[in-house]
């Protein structure tokens, strides 16, 4: 009996191990990036083609590195930055390499592709680098990772070539930038505090016969609309994150429905293979336009459900056109989570990752008003009643205190609070 029982136990152990392996394999098989690495690189190349730089090749090994970093982020969802902590679960050398060599976006829409990095000038400059040769991509568990460090310095042009963004004649350029980038370009604007939206950040990149760019000197830079005074701009030239390019930051959001002309002149210092530095003068002028969108008729926001991990909203929008909405989960007046969604009427439901802290309000800012740049409607809903587990405990405590001491053995009617968030 002992021998039979032992064999049966071993058989169960073996079967259990096989089942776990099968489940693990199935889980790995179902794990997928959205969009796929191939589709994301295709989107990147379409973007690069619009700007005029050469396409990049997809390197599956680089995508696997990004996948490793996404696996690390799944186990460490509060982790941010371009490195991994070896003491934390999920650490790998492969993921560490991806963290250091990639642009990263957190909690973005899974179908975003390269979209999260388009408004952010420093990340944009990395992905539109003229000498970027190969890249990889993975988006899973709320992390999007795209490699941006595999440069080929033989990808030179015979003479100085400039690439602007927005490109010449581009339409529908967002009027404002909401400072959602680390490092934060808004920190370069005096008296901004890093939180006040600026105008869309305009970037210029260069390529030429040099081995590397030693620096860029800007003699003049203007952004102006016909019949209006020039926009007040801040010029960035020497930051490491600029990769030899420049960024023009309008101090305030641009106007909707307006065509702007940007003009920049200066000198690029190109360092040759022998170490000599040669000045390459440039003078650029191009136009772009912001969208002309009428204000929405109305916007209503309702909190449908709050779980331990998500906040589910219903947005009722009366408008013929889709709108961009910035949705914030706040504790009093401090934003804990801020996301941007493209919404369309009449009704759309949005699910947002819930922060660990207590939420007191949800605010929605609807963009698209020529009268009030960036704000067409704002509505705040008090959701303390469904997002404060501490209040559940206090309600139970009060219920218990309402019972006579002798009846706390279960005879006192139990008072369930309706404040408990659903699981």
């Amino acid at each position: 009996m002992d021998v039979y029982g032992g064999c049966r136990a071993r058989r169960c152990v073996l079967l259990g191990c096989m089942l776990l392996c099968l489940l693990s394999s199935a889980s790995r098989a179902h794990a997928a990036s959205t969009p796929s690495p191939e589709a994301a690189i295709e989107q990147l190349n379409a973007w690069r083609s619009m700007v005029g730089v050469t396409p990049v090749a997809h390197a599956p090994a680089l995508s696997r590195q990004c996948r490793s970093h996404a696996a690390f982020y799944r186990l460490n969802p509060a982790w941010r930055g371009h490195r991994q902590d070896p003491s934390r679960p999920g650490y790998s050398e492969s993921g560490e390499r991806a963290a250091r060599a990639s642009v990263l976006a957190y909690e973005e829409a899974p179908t975003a592709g390269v979209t999260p990095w388009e408004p952010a000038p420093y990340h944009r400059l990395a992905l539109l680098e003229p000498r970027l040769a190969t890249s990889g991509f993975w988006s899973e568990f709320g992390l999007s990772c795209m490699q941006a460090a595999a440069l080929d310095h033989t990808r030179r042009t015979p003479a100085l070539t400039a690439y602007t963004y927005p490109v010449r004649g581009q339409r529908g350029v967002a009027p404002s930038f909401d400072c959602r980038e680390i490092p934060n370009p808004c920190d370069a604007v005096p008296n901004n505090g890093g939180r006040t939206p600026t105008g869309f950040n305009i970037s210029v990149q260069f390529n030429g016969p040099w081995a590397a760019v030693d620096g860029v000197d800007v003699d003049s830079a203007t952004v102006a609309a016909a019949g209006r005074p020039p926009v007040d701009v801040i010029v960035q030239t020497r930051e490491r994150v600029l990769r030899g390019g420049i960024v023009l930051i309008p101090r305030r959001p641009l106007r909707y429905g307006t065509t702007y002309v940007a003009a920049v002149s200066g000198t690029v210092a190109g360092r040759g293979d022998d170490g000599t530095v040669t000045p390459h003068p440039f003078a650029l002028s191009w136009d772009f336009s912001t969208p002309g969108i009428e204000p929405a008729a109305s916007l209503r926001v309702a909190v449908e459900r709050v779980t331990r991990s998500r906040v589910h909203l219903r947005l009722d929008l009366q408008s013929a056109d889709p709108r961009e909405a910035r949705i914030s989960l706040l504790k009093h007046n401090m934003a804990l989570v801020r996301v941007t969604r493209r919404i369309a009427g009449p009704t759309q439901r949005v699910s947002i990752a819930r922060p660990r802290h207590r939420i007191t309000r949800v605010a929605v800012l609807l963009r698209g008003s020529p009268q009030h740049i960036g704000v067409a409607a704002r509505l705040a809903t008090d959701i303390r009643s469904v997002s404060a587990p501490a209040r559940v405990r206090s309600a139970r405590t009060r219920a218990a205190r309402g019972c006579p001491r002798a009846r706390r053995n279960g005879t006192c009617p139990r008072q369930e609070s309706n404040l408990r968030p659903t699981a």
Side-chain angles (χ1 to χ4, degrees), residues 95-108:
E96 173 77 9
R97 285 194 291 271
R100 292 182 179 275
S102 303
V103 293
L104 306 172
Y106 300 90
E107 304 302 335
E108 292 288 340

Side-chain angles (χ1 to χ4, degrees), residues 183 237-245:
T237 60
R238 298 188 181 278
E239 281 74 6
R240 180 178 58 85
V241 290
L242 300 185
R243 297 194 177 207

Side-chain angles (χ1 to χ4, degrees), residues 256 293-296 323 366-377:
Y256 275 87
I293 304 177
E294 295 300 323
R323 297 302 181 87
L366 191 68
R367 299 179 178 182
S369 167
Q371 290 81 21
H372 303 286
I373 298 299
V375 180

Side-chain angles (χ1 to χ4, degrees), residues 89-279:
Y91 170 84
S92 67
E93 292 184 0
S94 174
E96 173 77 9
R97 285 194 291 271
R100 292 182 179 275
S102 303
V103 293
L104 306 172
Y106 300 90
E107 304 302 335
E108 292 288 340
T111 57
V114 299
T115 304
W117 300 296
E118 187 266 345
Y122 302 154
H123 291 70
R124 181 203 312 153
L125 289 167
L127 295 178
L128 297 180
E129 160 69 60
R131 297 184 182 183
L132 184 64
T134 59
S135 183
F137 176 85
W138 198 266
S139 182
E140 193 178 14
F141 311 121
L143 172 71
S144 293
C145 165
M146 181 168 276
Q147 296 265 1
L151 305 184
D152 179 0
H153 289 286
T154 66
R155 290 192 170 196
R156 307 182 187 185
T157 54
L160 182 147
T161 307
Y163 309 93
T164 67
Y165 199 85
V167 300
R168 183 183 303 276
Q170 185 168 335
R171 300 294 179 258
V173 177
S176 63
F177 172 66
D178 60 4
C179 305
R180 292 182 61 215
E181 185 176 21
I182 300 174
N184 187 356
C186 298
D187 290 337
V189 180
N191 303 317
N192 180 284
R195 296 182 179 181
T196 304
T198 67
F200 187 88
N201 286 203
I202 301 163
S203 59
V204 183
Q205 291 172 275
F206 303 96
N207 200 4
W210 50 72
V213 173
D214 254 19
V216 181
D217 290 325
V218 175
D219 298 328
S220 67
T222 60
V223 178
R228 293 188 173 274
V231 175
D232 189 5
V233 297
I234 305 297
V235 180
Q236 287 189 302
T237 60
R238 298 188 181 278
E239 281 74 6
R240 180 178 58 85
V241 290
L242 300 185
R243 297 194 177 207
I246 63 175
V247 172
L248 310 181
I249 308 177
R251 295 187 63 156
R252 286 171 177 67
L254 305 177
R255 296 174 61 87
Y256 275 87
T258 304
T259 297
Y260 289 88
V261 175
V264 189
S265 64
T267 305
V268 176
R271 178 164 45 83
D273 295 311
D274 59 357
T276 59
V277 177
T278 305

